[in-house]
Amino acid sequence: MKIDLHVHSSERSPCAKSREEEQIQAAIACGLNAMVMTDHGRLVLQAHLDALNQKYAPFRIFGGVEITVEEKEDVLVLGIHDPVLESRKWTYPELYAFVRRYDGWMAIAHPFRYRPTINVDIEHYPPDALEACSMNVPRGERQHIREIAKWLGIQVVCNSDAHVTQSLGVAYNCLNEIPADEADLVQLLRSGAYACVCMLM
C-alpha cells in the first residue's frame, strides 16, 4: 500500500491551495492507495472521514494533524482525534507526553526547513519518526536526517507535504501490510513495516 502521511487541504489549512477532494482525486490519479489529512491545527471529524472513505473506496483516507509547538517546530500526529489537540498551545515535551499517553504516533515534519537545527529535544523526547523527504525538506539535509534517525533508533518517513494537487506522488511510504484501521496504521508505522520512497531529485 502506497500512503502519503502529510497532506493539506484548503478547507482547514489556509496555506493550502487545493481542496480536500481535489487532493484525494490527485492522489488516486498518481497511484497512491491512501493518504492522511494533516492540516495545521485542525482535525477532520470522524463522520466526515467515514463519508470520504465510503465515497472513494477502496482508496483510504485517514485523519491526523500538524501541530506547531512553541519551540517553532512542526509535528505530525496520527491516531488521536481529541479536540484538545486543536485548542491549546503546546510545548514539545507536553505534546510528546500527550501522544505517548494516548498511544498515538508522531513525527517531526520537514526538519531544517526554517533553521539549521532541530529546535526540540529529540534526544530526550524521541519522536516515532523524522520526515526525511518532502516538498519542504531541504535536499541537502535528507541524508543528515536519516543519520540522525539512525542515531536515535527511530524511523524516517517520506511524504509530499502537499498543499496543491501537483505535489501528490513525489514521496510516499510503501506499507508491507494493509492496515485495518487507524490504530493498525500507527502500529505498522511504529514497527517500521514499510519502505520510504522519495521521487524528488
Side-chain angles (χ1 to χ4, degrees), residues 96-107:
Y96 179 90
F98 184 84
V99 172
R100 293 289 171 255
R101 184 181 311 128
Y102 292 100
D103 202 28
W105 179 93
M106 63 191 298

Side-chain angles (χ1 to χ4, degrees), residues 15 30 47 55 65 71 75 98 101 110 112 125 129 132 152 163 171 180:
C15 53
C30 71
K55 180 175 181 178
V65 66
E71 295 85 350
V75 183
F98 184 84
R101 184 181 311 128
H110 41 65
F112 304 109
Y125 304 98
L152 289 172
H163 290 66

Side-chain angles (χ1 to χ4, degrees), residues 35-201:
M35 64 192 293
V36 183
M37 301 304 304
T38 51
D39 287 301
H40 294 286
R42 295 282 305 280
L43 294 162
V44 185
L45 294 176
Q46 187 60 53
H48 186 57
L49 284 172
D50 292 343
L52 289 173
N53 276 287
Q54 183 174 10
K55 180 175 181 178
Y56 288 102
F59 188 82
R60 304 284 297 280
I61 304 103
F62 298 96
V65 66
E66 182 174 345
I67 301 291
T68 301
V69 295
E70 289 184 7
E71 295 85 350
K72 305 303 181 188
E73 288 287 352
D74 294 323
V75 183
L76 303 176
V77 176
L78 278 62
I80 303 174
H81 288 267
D82 192 325
V84 73
L85 285 167
E86 302 176 313
S87 62
R88 60 174 289 183
K89 291 183 178 180
W90 295 91
T91 67
Y92 181 69
E94 289 170 342
L95 182 61
Y96 179 90
F98 184 84
V99 172
R100 293 289 171 255
R101 184 181 311 128
Y102 292 100
D103 202 28
W105 179 93
M106 63 191 298
I108 302 297
H110 41 65
F112 304 109
R113 179 184 183 185
Y114 299 113
R115 59 192 64 82
T117 60
I118 295 176
N119 210 38
V120 294
D121 186 357
I122 57 174
E123 182 175 0
H124 292 99
Y125 304 98
D128 295 292
L130 300 178
E131 191 171 60
C133 176
S134 82
M135 295 295 294
N136 288 310
V137 172
R139 179 180 178 183
E141 297 290 355
R142 293 178 198 161
Q143 184 57 36
H144 184 202
I145 292 167
R146 290 178 180 272
E147 290 167 358
I148 294 171
K150 184 176 180 180
W151 171 67
L152 289 172
I154 63 174
Q155 307 296 323
V156 296
V157 290
C158 294
N159 303 302
S160 67
D161 189 10
H163 290 66
V164 295
T165 56
Q166 295 89 334
S167 298
L168 271 302
V170 300
Y172 52 87
N173 308 278
C174 289
L175 301 181
N176 294 353
E177 303 174 31
I178 298 176
D181 53 28
E182 201 167 285
D184 197 22
L185 172 61
V186 165
Q187 292 306 315
L188 285 171
L189 293 172
R190 193 173 287 142
S191 72
Y194 63 91
C196 181
V197 179
C198 182
M199 306 294 286
L200 292 165
M201 299 301 292

